[in-house]
Amino acid sequence: MSKPQPKQATAVTLRYHCFDGAAGRLLLAVGDAGIASVIISASDEELIAGLQSEHPKAQCLPMSADEQRAHQATAKAIAAMSKGEPATIALPLALPGTAFQQAVWQALCRIPRGQTISYKALAAQAGRPKAIRAAASACGANPIALVVPCHRVVASDGGLGGYKWGVAHKAELLRREQLD
């Protein structure tokens, strides 16, 4: 999997495709710079609304059949990740964000599958050990579920904490990853 790299947020066109994953319905949105969003939800309508909310300046259009075929390996890898399996291909990410968000997202990508860390440890790994709430906020701002694995961060007391796509999804993803 590619490490998140800073990208400039501009008015772009995002092409999206909705498909089934073990965690529910998934949406993959791709722009010229790479994967812009992966969203988990119960319905295509919720997925599309989430994409539009996440990228209000983007023109969001469904992928054509040819585009779906071109991104089939990416969708298959993301569906496998929803089952708790490792990424099978490098996934180019387009993640605009602050320097601290970038540091948090890079730290998230270093958490081994099947393991968790606390928000406090995540803040330390991102270079700001006292910025625990900011690290949690960066997790909440992550637009790319599964690939940037914010579901692997838990509260210091061992509780699940929050999850942008629902705590039930977080619990299930962690359970699936720990089955190996």
Side-chain angles (χ1 to χ4, degrees), residues 56-179:
K57 293 183 179 179
Q59 181 181 20
C60 300
L61 302 170
M63 286 185 188
S64 67
D66 287 342
E67 290 168 324
Q68 287 179 31
R69 279 190 289 282
H71 294 286
Q72 184 175 16
T74 300
K76 184 176 178 180
I78 291 168
M81 293 171 83
S82 77
K83 296 177 186 174
E85 298 170 8
T88 55
I89 61 172
L91 300 169
L93 307 179
L95 282 167
T98 67
F100 182 66
Q101 286 173 325
Q102 292 291 324
V104 168
W105 296 334
Q106 289 173 8
L108 288 167
C109 290
R110 292 190 298 268
I111 303 169
R113 189 173 57 87
Q115 294 183 22
T116 60
I117 65 169
S118 69
Y119 289 99
K120 182 177 181 177
L122 178 62
Q125 287 186 17
R128 290 181 44 202
K130 295 185 181 195
I132 299 165
R133 288 181 193 252
S137 291
C139 287
N142 169 24
I144 302 181
L146 304 168
V147 182
V148 178
C150 54
H151 63 276
R152 295 181 185 152
V153 185
V154 297
S156 294
D157 65 4
L160 289 179
Y163 188 54
K164 181 176 186 173
W165 296 282
V167 175
H169 284 302
K170 182 176 186 172
E172 182 61 17
L173 289 167
L174 291 172
R175 185 189 71 75
R176 288 178 186 276
E177 285 187 349
Q178 293 168 350
L179 290 177

